[in-house]
Amino acid sequence: MADHRVHRRTVCAGLLAATSAAWAADWKPGGQVEYVIPAAAGGAVDTYGRVMKKVFDSSGALGGQSFIISNRPGGQGMIAVAPVVQRTGDATVFTMLSTGYMLGQVLGEFKHDLQKDFTIGPIFFEEALVVAVRADSPLKSGRDLVEHLKQDPASLRIAVAPTLNNHIHIGILKPLKVAGVDTGRLTVAPFRSSAESVTALRGGHVDVVSSSSTNVVTGVQSGALRVLAVSSRERLPGALAQVPTWREQGVDSVFTSVQGVLFPRGISAEQIAFWDRRMRELSNAPEWKAALQQYEVTPRFMDHTQAAAYVAEELQSSARLLRQLGMVR
């Protein structure tokens, strides 16, 4: 008797799975797909968006529908998320998900609730943050930067992007705070994208840049830039392999961020399943893998369910971090 019940349950489960797969296969975009990027063209987020577009366009993954990118920087990310929030149930538009938004939500600067106002999409990768200077800078290491700023916290112009208090900003605040620098007195300027902040560094308009690794690789390879420290637990493997971590330089700080996508709330299970499959295919595409390797980021694919659980946990850890930095109570 028990064996028959097990058999019936197995058959039913198989039918349900087959039915779900069929439903998932039924949905596909009925019009153009739009990726709204919260930064100006040329920065890291835009770079990955362009690779995504190239892979989708060449593979036909979107059933012949066009894939467009809209750059909408500014407003603590609120400008970019606005069309996504407004288009409830529309799975043909999405924007970026990042650790910066999680930090912004805890700080009250990102005026939406990631868990309630959106559908969490897949997460693609984890990236380290770097601190860079021009190659002719007298600062040779992370320790040099710490000692200089301990003496005069306001003496160096530090660039971040695309806003204050995001993951790029926290990527330099955390190690400096741990090292004993008065981070409340730093001179920090936001740029519309890390591409613009790195250009400002090269032009001598700022002294230091906090950035994702993506934006400094070319400058390091050309000899124009020097990276003082990376925020990851271990050194990066490629062009920045010679750059020590903060921990290697005596500063007990590790911080990385993730990047994924956010869809409007109210999209269906079938639409979620479609995008889980397409984004997983993207993460396995040779062109995408090559881009991640080139720009020193670590693949870390999570589907919708995994990413939603990650965001819930990360919101709690972000609150703890910001309390430690004295940015929230």
Side-chain angles (χ1 to χ4, degrees), residues 6-7 22 30 50 55 72 90 98 103 108 122 124 133 169 179 189-190 194 235 301 312 325 327:
V6 170
H7 176 70
R50 304 290 165 179
V55 172
R72 301 193 185 185
D90 184 353
S98 77
L103 294 163
F124 306 123
V133 296
H169 192 185
S194 288
R235 292 193 186 197
F301 183 81
L325 294 174
M327 298 174 73

Side-chain angles (χ1 to χ4, degrees), residues 1-71:
M1 211 45 189
D3 289 343
H4 290 304
R5 285 197 298 270
V6 170
H7 176 70
R8 282 197 296 271
R9 284 197 297 268
T10 301
V11 170
C12 289
L15 289 172
L16 284 172
T19 303
S20 296
W23 286 343
D26 286 342
W27 188 86
K28 61 182 180 181
Q32 71 178 20
V33 174
E34 181 180 10
Y35 183 14
V36 189
I37 292 177
V45 183
D46 182 69
T47 296
Y48 296 120
R50 304 290 165 179
V51 177
M52 183 185 295
K53 173 177 170 56
K54 192 171 183 181
V55 172
F56 283 156
D57 286 350
S58 63
S59 68
L62 303 183
Q65 300 298 339
S66 59
F67 183 87
I68 64 171
I69 290 174
S70 302
N71 296 91

Side-chain angles (χ1 to χ4, degrees), residues 8-328:
R8 282 197 296 271
R9 284 197 297 268
T10 301
V11 170
C12 289
L15 289 172
L16 284 172
T19 303
S20 296
W23 286 343
D26 286 342
W27 188 86
K28 61 182 180 181
Q32 71 178 20
V33 174
E34 181 180 10
Y35 183 14
V36 189
I37 292 177
V45 183
D46 182 69
T47 296
Y48 296 120
R50 304 290 165 179
V51 177
M52 183 185 295
K53 173 177 170 56
K54 192 171 183 181
V55 172
F56 283 156
D57 286 350
S58 63
S59 68
L62 303 183
Q65 300 298 339
S66 59
F67 183 87
I68 64 171
I69 290 174
S70 302
N71 296 91
R72 301 193 185 185
Q76 304 287 353
M78 299 300 293
I79 296 173
V81 303
V84 179
V85 172
Q86 293 163 4
R87 289 161 64 175
T88 300
D90 184 353
T92 64
V93 62
F94 58 89
T95 189
M96 183 193 72
L97 164 68
S98 77
T99 300
Y101 282 174
M102 301 176 215
L103 294 163
Q105 180 172 322
V106 175
L107 287 166
E109 295 173 351
F110 183 73
K111 304 298 183 181
H112 291 292
D113 186 313
L114 290 167
Q115 296 170 293
K116 295 178 180 178
D117 298 338
F118 304 92
T119 301
I120 305 295
I123 286 172
F124 306 123
F125 58 77
E126 180 178 49
E127 61 182 347
L129 288 307
V130 301
V131 176
V133 296
R134 291 185 303 281
D136 61 359
S137 170
L139 301 173
K140 308 296 185 185
S141 68
R143 287 305 317 179
D144 285 351
L145 177 65
V146 166
E147 294 308 317
H148 187 101
L149 291 174
K150 276 185 174 180
Q151 294 179 27
D152 187 352
S155 61
L156 297 175
R157 298 161 296 175
I158 301 170
V160 301
T163 183
L164 297 175
N165 299 331
N166 67 349
H167 58 295
I168 300 292
H169 192 185
I170 300 299
I172 190 168
L173 282 185
K174 182 180 179 183
L176 293 181
K177 180 78 171 181
V178 169
V181 173
D182 183 355
T183 55
R185 295 176 55 206
L186 296 175
T187 303
V188 183
F191 287 75
R192 296 193 309 157
S193 73
S194 288
E196 292 188 6
S197 64
V198 171
T199 298
L201 176 65
R202 287 186 178 221
H205 304 295
V206 297
D207 305 300
V208 180
V209 159
S210 178
S211 167
S212 61
S213 55
T214 302
N215 296 286
V216 301
V217 170
T218 301
V220 170
Q221 291 173 329
S222 70
L225 301 180
R226 176 188 304 123
V227 176
L228 304 182
V230 297
S231 67
S232 49
R233 191 174 300 278
E234 298 177 350
R235 292 193 186 197
L236 301 178
L240 305 182
Q242 300 306 311
V243 180
T245 66
W246 279 109
R247 277 190 168 176
E248 287 181 275
Q249 300 181 71
V251 179
D252 189 14
S253 174
V254 174
F255 180 75
T256 56
S257 68
V258 298
Q259 186 173 312
V261 291
L262 291 169
F263 289 91
R265 66 181 177 179
I267 69 172
S268 69
E270 294 75 36
Q271 292 168 326
I272 291 170
F274 173 89
W275 283 115
D276 272 353
R277 287 199 312 278
R278 292 298 173 262
M279 296 304 189
R280 188 181 294 278
E281 290 166 1
L282 170 72
S283 71
N284 289 323
E287 226 168 349
W288 181 261
K289 288 182 174 180
L292 299 194
Q293 183 176 17
Q294 177 183 353
Y295 294 118
E296 304 272 354
V297 298
T298 304
R300 190 180 177 187
F301 183 81
M302 299 179 227
D303 63 18
H304 157 73
T305 301
Q306 295 165 327
Y310 175 87
V311 169
E313 294 174 2
E314 195 65 13
L315 285 168
Q316 295 181 26
S317 64
S318 293
R320 291 192 296 271
L321 171 60
L322 293 171
R323 281 195 295 270
Q324 291 168 5
L325 294 174
M327 298 174 73
V328 295

